[in-house]
Amino acid sequence: EAGVAQSPRYKIIEKRQSVAFWCNPISGHATLYWYQQILGQGPKLLIQFQNNGVVDDSQLPKDRFSAERLKGVDSTLKIQPAKLEDSAVYLCASTLRPTSGRARETQYFGPGTRLLVL
Amino acid sequence: GIQVEQSPPDLILQEGANSTLRCNFSDSVNNLQWFHQNPWGQLINLFYIPSGTKQNGRLSATTVATERYSLLYISSSQTTDSGVYFCAVSFGNEKLTFGTGTRLTIIP
């Protein structure tokens, strides 16, 4: 089966510009996660969707970050405007079953999008 | 929130050597997962192991939940084992919290 797909793989922008990332989870996976991984650190959850509803967005900087999963399949994460500290790898992951907020299922990760903000 | 500490932060070994990676966590958990992030950034789930012991080929993991730690064993290391190993934990409905990882370098 195909894995989690993400695009673009790399993006370089200037501060105050906007950027969007796309994720297509494994077919049939109900739960989708966006993580931010800053160099030298572990991934940090930004937002979790179950089908097309938000389960957890407590760590999403909502003044500049937004995400949607309109049809319960693929998802888009947007940053507007970008800051220097947003430079990181943005990882998308998915799990098969609805988790009702519990992260006990094995998470399958995409290859990530490397963002550099100059 | 739960604190996750991993040790050692860096490990350099000769091919064929064995290694033990440790994950300590600050509170009760009912979900613990080990991941490998390869040099190209891809994260792969190795084990879901909130308690007990599991083995998969040259890798095995043990979690002692009552003592709040987990160990990942890698035997007969290969260069393809290089990368960063992360432990991630959660309890109840909480999100997974990742540690800062152990960077493993296997030298041919």
Side-chain angles (χ1 to χ4, degrees), chain A:
Chain A
E1 75 184 352
V4 177
Q6 290 187 248
S7 66
R9 293 296 311 277
Y10 305 92
K11 191 73 176 180
I12 301 174
I13 61 173
E14 295 187 350
K15 60 183 179 183
R16 292 189 290 274
Q17 285 187 324
S18 302
V19 65
F21 313 128
W22 174 82
C23 172
N24 192 14
I26 294 173
S27 178
H29 278 202
T31 305
L32 184 148
Y33 309 80
W34 282 103
Y35 288 87
Q36 180 192 58
Q37 186 177 20
I38 293 172
L39 188 64
Q41 299 181 16
K44 182 185 81 172
L45 181 70
L46 293 175
I47 188 167
Q48 176 184 341
F49 291 95
Q50 180 172 301
N51 296 311
N52 61 351
V54 175
V55 173
D56 186 341
D57 64 357
S58 58
Q59 298 189 115
L60 186 74
K62 299 180 186 63
D63 58 332
R64 298 184 300 106
F65 286 64
S66 64
E68 59 185 13
R69 193 185 185 199
L70 291 176
K71 296 182 179 179
V73 181
D74 56 351
S75 176
T76 302
L77 176 69
K78 296 179 181 178
I79 307 175
Q80 180 179 9
K83 293 185 175 181
L84 297 178
E85 57 261 36
D86 298 332
S87 295
V89 177
Y90 291 85
L91 296 162
C92 180
S94 68
T95 56
L96 176 60
R97 285 178 285 270
T99 63
S100 300
R102 293 172 298 184
R104 298 185 191 182
E105 298 291 325
T106 296
Q107 295 192 19
Y108 297 88
F109 281 82
T113 295
R114 294 181 183 275
L115 174 67
L116 179 60
V117 182
L118 302 175

Side-chain angles (χ1 to χ4, degrees), chain A residues 35 37 42-43 45 56 58-59 91 101-107 109-111, chain B residues 30-31 33 35 37 40-43 45 48 86 92-93 95-96 98-100:
Chain A
Y35 288 87
Q37 186 177 20
L45 181 70
D56 186 341
S58 58
Q59 298 189 115
L91 296 162
R102 293 172 298 184
R104 298 185 191 182
E105 298 291 325
T106 296
Q107 295 192 19
F109 281 82
Chain B
N30 58 5
N31 179 4
Q33 301 184 33
F35 294 87
Q37 189 165 40
W40 295 270
Q42 180 70 55
L43 264 168
N45 188 287
Y48 167 73
F86 288 102
N93 294 334
K95 63 183 74 65
L96 274 181
F98 283 74
T100 51

